[in-house]
Amino acid sequence: MTSVQVDKPHDDGNEAADAPGAPGEGYQRALGARQIQMIAIGGAIGTGLFLGAGKAIDRAGPSLILAYAIAGLVIFFIMRALGELLMYRPVAGSFSEYAREFLGPFFGFVTGWTYWLFWVVTGITEVTAAATYMTYWWDIPQWLSALVFTVILYAANLISVKLFGELEFWFSMVKVTAIIGMILICAGVLTIGFSDAGDTATVANLWNDGGFFPEGITGTLMTLQIVMFAFLAVELVGVTAGESKDPKTVLPKAINTVPWRIAVFYVGALIMILSVVPWSTFKPGVSPFVKAFEEMGLGVGAAIVNFVVLTAALSSCNSGMYSTGRMLRDLALNGQGPKAFRKLTKNGLPLVGTTFSAALMLVGVWINYQWPGEAFNYVVSFATISGMWAWIMILCAQLRYRAKADRGELPQSTFKAPGAPYTSWFALGFIGLVITMMAIDEDARISLYCAPVWALLLGVSYLVIKKRNPENFARKG
């Protein structure tokens, strides 16, 4: 039987209790610089790029490059805002803890549970996607692959946080290597002219077929939800703060790599692909990477990309296993979740929270097996709006923190966000634009219908829990 330890709830206003390495936190600092860097890189590369870009290219054409570039700048603003908060107080609860401190207990409650739901839903979709990708090589039941993947990742997350870091390191390494290889192959096609696409490959493909904005500005704006979905999970590096060996050094370095990651893996990759293969060739539901290899006559590339996409899905599910347990424990420590979620194994791992979340992921796979129609897809669409809620809370908490720090009420962060508060307001405005475009888009609108239902459920739950334990909801500081 696995031994566990139980921590008492800590005081929201007690910095000592929240300080890294404090007894109330209980986690082991086993994630090194190498692993944190790859977690940060891997968080920005997922199925949103490998698969989702196909639909976005069909909608916007080459102008999708500009959409990714602008959205990438916004993501950098968000990550620098998070970095400022992390260097002020690096805690495992991350943005849920900051929302609680600077915006009030209710916002910490909503943020923690919403981010938990985001990763459960994402984990459901990713492990199911991984099972689907397995059928490319073997004719095995989808539910069996999903079960095996879930159990393996669950076990890895309960052995040690170091093993989680190692898995994420190698998952990310596969994704990074694949994209760099794709860029180099496309560069070779453009300069040397080899492959079936050698005669037609040219940078002019970026504007020859209907111009850079073939579907107009509106078409570009309508891809913003897809673009932002691709960047979801980049904030995961903040959740690792409580288990990083040297957060004050490692986290700023990881966050500062965001610009070049986006420039290379999104903007660079799309420029190369759309230069080699005209944008009108790509269609929704087909990975642009697979399609590009097919157009170049490199059939083996399809199998390679299928393996990479499988890796991306498992990486995302692995991250979900990691983050859900820690979010549930943070809620429990603050009296905003069941006490059982406070428990840690002797290795400092949130056993009950991770197990509960993994069980829900398995239920989701079963639902997908029984009812694989549109109802399941509607649930999946909620991931984008719930993920962006975490970004909104990061920005709002940073604005409140910066105001207090400037007044001398709190110590200044050693990693200030450049251009703040203006960059934070700009990022909030951009997220508002994305939500507006989601309301216009019939395919994305369903997620906005789900949000009020989830908000009502959380609101009622908050009032019930607060009535039972009012001492845990008193705002301090």
Side-chain angles (χ1 to χ4, degrees):
M1 181 179 293
T2 304
S3 61
V4 297
Q5 65 187 59
V6 182
D7 298 306
K8 297 178 180 179
H10 60 264
D11 192 327
D12 285 347
N14 187 344
E15 288 188 24
D18 288 326
E25 199 166 87
Y27 293 113
Q28 294 184 359
R29 296 191 172 277
L31 296 177
R34 172 179 62 89
Q35 294 163 326
I36 295 291
Q37 286 286 353
M38 271 302 178
I39 289 172
I41 292 174
I45 309 171
T47 51
L49 171 63
F50 289 117
L51 291 177
K55 181 178 180 180
I57 292 172
D58 182 68
R59 283 190 173 189
S63 65
L64 179 65
I65 297 169
L66 181 62
Y68 271 115
I70 296 174
L73 180 63
V74 171
I75 294 299
F76 178 62
F77 292 157
I78 294 170
M79 292 302 293
R80 282 305 300 259
L82 176 59
E84 183 169 329
L85 292 168
L86 287 171
M87 292 306 99
Y88 151 67
R89 195 163 67 93
V91 289
S94 193
F95 26 87
S96 177
E97 190 69 28
Y98 301 133
R100 186 176 298 114
E101 177 179 356
F102 295 108
L103 303 173
F106 175 72
F107 288 97
F109 175 83
V110 171
T111 301
W113 281 108
T114 300
Y115 197 65
W116 168 80
L117 178 66
F118 160 69
W119 273 115
V120 169
V121 172
T122 300
I124 289 171
T125 59
E126 297 292 7
V127 76
T128 304
T132 303
Y133 303 145
M134 288 296 292
T135 60
Y136 182 89
W137 295 291
W138 298 287
D139 184 18
I140 55 179
Q142 181 175 312
W143 67 267
L144 181 60
S145 295
L147 176 63
V148 171
F149 287 141
T150 303
V151 171
I152 290 175
L153 294 177
Y154 167 70
N157 272 269
L158 289 187
I159 293 174
S160 72
V161 69
K162 186 175 181 180
L163 180 57
F164 157 78
E166 279 301 305
L167 278 176
E168 203 56 31
F169 175 85
W170 291 108
F171 282 152
S172 297
M173 183 66 76
V174 169
K175 293 185 285 187
V176 169
T177 302
I179 293 180
I180 292 176
M182 180 67 167
I183 291 174
L184 292 176
I185 290 173
C186 290
V189 173
L190 286 169
T191 55
I192 304 175
F194 73 90
S195 86
D196 294 348
D199 294 336
T200 57
T202 170
V203 177
N205 282 330
L206 297 177
W207 57 82
N208 275 349
D209 191 2
F212 190 69
F213 292 91
E215 303 295 334
I217 298 296
T218 302
T220 307
L221 292 175
M222 295 301 288
T223 66
L224 290 180
Q225 181 220 357
I226 301 172
V227 169
M228 295 302 273
F229 176 79
F231 288 126
L232 290 175
V234 70
E235 75 290 332
L236 181 66
V237 68
V239 183
T240 67
E243 292 166 280
S244 171
K245 291 180 180 178
D246 185 12
K248 293 285 187 179
T249 302
V250 173
L251 295 178
K253 289 182 179 179
I255 289 171
N256 278 334
T257 62
V258 169
W260 72 259
R261 278 186 271 144
I262 292 173
V264 172
F265 300 130
Y266 282 87
V267 177
L270 286 175
I271 288 176
M272 300 307 288
I273 288 176
L274 296 178
S275 295
V276 171
V277 180
W279 73 270
S280 55
T281 305
F282 301 102
K283 301 300 178 185
V286 178
S287 169
F289 289 79
V290 173
K291 187 63 176 177
F293 272 118
E294 290 177 351
E295 292 297 315
M296 287 185 283
L298 305 175
V300 68
I304 294 174
V305 171
N306 190 73
F307 174 73
V308 173
V309 176
L310 169 65
T311 302
L314 293 177
S315 172
S316 183
C317 189
N318 188 43
S319 297
M321 293 277 190
Y322 172 85
S323 60
T324 50
R326 282 144 184 86
M327 276 295 163
L328 289 179
R329 183 168 183 262
D330 177 71
L331 288 161
L333 287 174
N334 285 277
Q336 298 180 345
K339 294 180 180 179
F341 292 146
R342 300 177 193 165
K343 296 179 181 179
L344 291 177
T345 68
K346 62 182 179 180
N347 293 329
L349 301 170
L351 171 65
V352 180
T354 303
T355 302
F356 176 69
S357 302
L360 286 182
M361 290 180 189
L362 281 177
V363 170
V365 173
W366 177 78
I367 291 173
N368 187 55
Y369 174 78
Q370 293 292 332
W371 301 287
E374 290 301 313
F376 185 77
N377 292 329
Y378 291 157
V379 175
V380 173
S381 69
F382 185 72
T384 303
I385 193 69
S386 59
M388 287 197 299
W389 174 262
W391 295 345
I392 293 171
M393 289 297 98
I394 290 170
L395 294 166
C396 291
Q398 186 263 343
L399 287 169
R400 292 293 299 273
Y401 162 71
R402 173 65 73 90
K404 286 191 171 186
D406 289 345
R407 292 196 300 266
E409 298 174 14
L410 290 173
Q412 292 283 353
S413 173
T414 57
F415 189 53
K416 284 188 174 183
Y422 306 107
T423 51
S424 296
W425 284 114
F426 175 80
L428 283 170
F430 187 84
I431 293 174
L433 173 63
V434 174
I435 294 174
T436 300
M437 300 313 297
M438 289 175 67
I440 296 173
D441 187 347
E442 292 183 2
D443 294 336
R445 194 180 300 156
I446 186 65
S447 62
L448 300 183
Y449 297 153
C450 296
V453 176
W454 176 244
L456 178 62
L457 177 61
L458 286 181
V460 173
S461 301
Y462 178 83
L463 292 175
V464 172
I465 297 174
K466 182 179 180 180
K467 186 176 181 179
R468 292 180 178 177
N469 304 289
E471 67 279 359
N472 291 327
F473 292 82
R475 185 171 179 179
K476 303 180 181 182

